[in-house]
Amino acid sequence: KNTWITDKASPDLYPEYYRTAFHYQTDGWMSKRSADVYETSTETLFLGRQDCMQRTALQPLVDFSKGRDPKLGPLRVLEVACGTGRFMTFMRDNLPLNAECTAIDLSPYYLDAARENDEYWRKFRREEGMDGAIKPLRCVQSKAEELPFEDGSFDAVVCVYLYHELPRDIRAQVSSEMARVLGKDGILVFADSIQKGDRPILDSALGNFGNMNEPYYGDYINDDLPRHFFSAGLTPKTKTVCSTTKALTFQKE
């Protein structure tokens, strides 16, 4: 269940909660092999629904982008816990080509995969003659609860499938950090597992996912998520449920 992580140069980089092979993922998040099989393993785990479910986070982001004044400059987007960067390519497919995109993750192996996915995505844009305005994805290794960015650095912050793998106190810290780096009038888009009450017919069985070596899932499905964001100064806006995923949006006013 546990993943052994050593980093003598940065002994505090990987927190204790991170040292787990969540849903029995090979090597946890700490190998190239894990990153290589992640998308296949999770699509299998969710019976082919993962891509469809996480795309619920796209619509509010696209709506925000379309309603934003282009005179404000390129859209600045941050994805927190980007994993392999696959969802980032979905976002870049639907946002202005000059969007300035940044992705953070704690795993160096998953960040390598995110860079490779970004290069692959930009390769196709080049072949379509659309590469002129596109900047490479900026990848940063970081804890989500200690983001290395100035206040108000981004117009949109996106976080997909992270919170169910965090202890409650860390969820609160991550919420505060995402709110801090979000600029005025910016949007925060959150997507993760549904919780108890979102689809009452599933409530009795919802906790079973915790048996897949998900030590914080039982607490997650009972947590008051909007409270974390509201306490960080954000205003709740929308909620969308798709199968066993929900997307929430918040605005910094």
Side-chain angles (χ1 to χ4, degrees):
K1 285 187 176 182
N2 294 325
T3 299
W4 182 252
I5 299 173
T6 59
D7 185 342
K8 294 181 180 179
S10 304
D12 299 323
L13 180 59
Y14 303 108
E16 190 62 35
Y17 71 79
Y18 191 74
R19 301 166 184 255
T20 298
F22 292 99
H23 50 77
Y24 297 112
Q25 181 75 21
T26 301
D27 302 328
W29 308 126
M30 296 305 293
S31 75
K32 182 179 185 301
R33 178 173 63 162
S34 172
D36 287 345
V37 303
Y38 174 80
E39 298 298 343
T40 300
S41 66
T42 52
E43 279 292 350
T44 302
L45 179 64
F46 292 108
L47 305 176
R49 295 175 294 134
Q50 177 174 266
D51 273 1
C52 295
M53 293 191 297
Q54 65 183 353
R55 284 192 185 109
T56 56
L58 282 178
Q59 190 62 56
L61 182 63
V62 171
D63 290 344
F64 172 79
S65 173
K66 289 181 177 179
R68 183 173 176 272
D69 188 348
K71 295 179 181 178
L72 294 173
L75 182 69
R76 302 167 301 166
V77 181
L78 170 67
E79 183 178 10
V80 175
C82 67
T84 66
R86 178 174 170 82
F87 187 71
M88 175 60 77
T89 66
F90 297 167
M91 289 193 285
R92 300 194 83 175
D93 273 335
N94 290 275
L95 293 175
L97 291 178
N98 68 344
E100 298 176 351
C101 297
T102 301
I104 73 112
D105 203 275
L106 196 46
S107 169
Y109 303 98
Y110 279 72
L111 284 174
D112 282 345
R115 292 185 187 96
E116 291 174 4
N117 272 325
D118 181 66
E119 172 56 34
Y120 186 71
W121 179 83
R122 286 186 290 114
K123 172 187 173 184
F124 279 93
R125 300 290 82 80
R126 286 194 293 269
E127 291 175 356
E128 296 167 359
M130 301 168 61
D131 187 48
I134 300 175
K135 293 183 179 179
L137 176 67
R138 178 172 60 148
C139 294
V140 179
Q141 186 183 21
S142 170
K143 299 177 189 177
E145 61 269 35
E146 296 178 8
L147 297 175
F149 307 112
E150 300 280 339
D151 296 359
S153 294
F154 300 95
D155 305 302
V157 176
V158 180
C159 182
V160 178
Y161 295 150
L162 171 65
Y163 273 42
H164 71 278
E165 294 182 348
L166 300 176
R168 186 175 295 205
D169 62 326
I170 303 299
R171 288 180 215 131
Q173 292 177 38
V174 174
S175 303
S176 179
E177 276 293 272
M178 291 196 294
R180 179 185 66 79
V181 302
L182 188 62
K184 187 178 183 301
D185 299 323
I187 187 175
L188 189 151
V189 182
F190 166 97
D192 210 313
S193 166
I194 58 172
Q195 298 175 284
K196 285 188 175 180
D198 289 322
R199 295 189 64 185
I201 196 171
L202 299 180
D203 279 359
S204 62
L206 194 58
N208 291 343
F209 185 64
N211 297 329
M212 295 291 293
N213 198 31
E214 291 283 352
Y216 309 110
Y217 189 74
D219 180 73
Y220 166 83
I221 60 177
N222 291 290
D223 194 7
D224 182 0
L225 288 181
R227 176 178 57 83
H228 294 310
F229 297 104
F230 186 77
S231 297
L234 302 181
T235 301
K237 289 297 181 180
T238 66
K239 173 181 175 180
T240 304
V241 174
C242 175
S243 188
T244 54
T245 290
K246 68 176 174 183
L248 307 175
T249 64
F250 302 86
Q251 186 174 18
K252 189 170 186 178
E253 298 178 337

